[in-house]
Amino acid sequence: MSIDDFGTGYSSLAYLRDLPVDELKVDRAFIARSQLTVRDMALVSTIMELGHILGLRVVAEGIENQAQLDAVRRLGCALGQGFHLHRPLDPAAEPPLLETPPLHRAA
């Protein structure tokens, strides 16, 4: 189970205690600036550290440029999603993409 948009809206720390959570997805609001501020970095770092302490996967949402990717990598986030990493795919195209070994994919 994944908690999407963690850190905003209805996400609550109580969910981490009460639900069988496997993954936190850090809301894009914390990563949306083209250059992350010290305050942004502190919030993302805290959410990531909490997730890692609890043994959860942590995903940074909304990565749309290299600076954002570099910033979340420096914080130790190994998983991310956003246009900078890959544009959305047609669902019909996903099975062949996932079945093809990475070294044999067309460029």
Side-chain angles (χ1 to χ4, degrees):
M1 178 183 288
S2 180
I3 297 180
D4 195 23
D5 301 333
F6 190 78
T8 63
Y10 291 102
S11 66
S12 168
L13 291 173
Y15 292 153
L16 300 177
R17 180 192 62 209
D18 299 336
L19 298 175
V21 177
D22 302 303
E23 178 179 86
L24 290 181
K25 294 178 80 178
V26 180
D27 189 77
R28 65 181 295 121
F30 300 110
I31 301 166
R33 300 177 203 257
S34 59
Q35 293 291 324
L36 299 178
T37 67
V38 171
R39 194 171 226 163
D40 295 329
M41 296 288 281
L43 290 167
V44 172
S45 177
T46 300
I47 294 169
M48 287 180 23
E49 185 175 351
L50 175 62
H52 291 146
I53 288 169
L54 295 173
L56 306 175
R57 285 184 309 272
V58 179
V59 179
E61 296 181 319
I63 299 172
E64 297 191 4
N65 63 48
Q66 189 64 43
Q68 293 166 337
L69 178 59
D70 293 343
V72 296
R73 280 185 172 163
R74 278 193 307 276
L75 294 174
C77 191
L79 301 171
Q81 71 181 67
F83 288 147
H84 183 69
L85 300 173
H86 205 289
R87 294 286 180 185
L89 297 173
D90 176 349
E94 287 186 51
L97 178 66
L98 296 175
E99 292 170 4
T100 305
L103 296 177
H104 298 100
R105 287 189 190 145

